[in-house]
Amino acid sequence: MAILNYLPDAYPNHIPSVLAGNDLMRASFGAGFPLFANAFYTKLGVGWASSVLAFISIAFIPIPFVLYKYGPLLRNKYSKIAKKDL
């Protein structure tokens, strides 16, 4: 949910598009999960399937810290529309 606070601050001239893109991605993942969840849990079992999801979640833990450290560099060097003084 912190991304909903960050995106409008980083892209103030494109707030509706940024938030719509975020909602589209979130809804896509939410709509896609039920398509493979049944087979996923049937083949791996509840324990391993839930563990795989937990391991994926654990892999995403460092992302906010990496973006906190390298965010200004990424915004300044690679983005033409991001707010530079954030």
Side-chain angles (χ1 to χ4, degrees), residues 20-75:
N22 180 59
D23 289 345
L24 177 68
M25 290 302 295
R26 197 171 66 183
S28 298
F29 286 120
F33 185 75
L35 298 176
F36 69 87
N38 191 21
F40 185 62
Y41 275 90
T42 301
K43 299 239 187 230
L44 293 179
V46 174
W48 274 109
S50 297
S51 294
V52 167
L53 294 175
F55 297 145
I56 292 170
S57 298
I58 289 170
F60 286 127
I61 288 174
I63 290 175
F65 301 106
V66 170
L67 290 177
Y68 181 78
K69 181 171 179 161
Y70 296 108
L73 173 73
L74 294 172
R75 283 190 302 273

Side-chain angles (χ1 to χ4, degrees), residues 1-15 18-19 22 63-64 66-76 79 81-86:
M1 294 311 264
I3 194 78
L4 293 176
N5 294 328
Y6 169 76
L7 288 175
D9 289 340
Y11 301 97
N13 295 334
H14 305 281
I15 292 173
V18 166
L19 293 178
N22 180 59
I63 290 175
V66 170
L67 290 177
Y68 181 78
K69 181 171 179 161
Y70 296 108
L73 173 73
L74 294 172
R75 283 190 302 273
N76 289 329
S79 179
I81 59 173
K83 190 173 167 184
K84 306 297 185 204
D85 63 347
L86 185 63

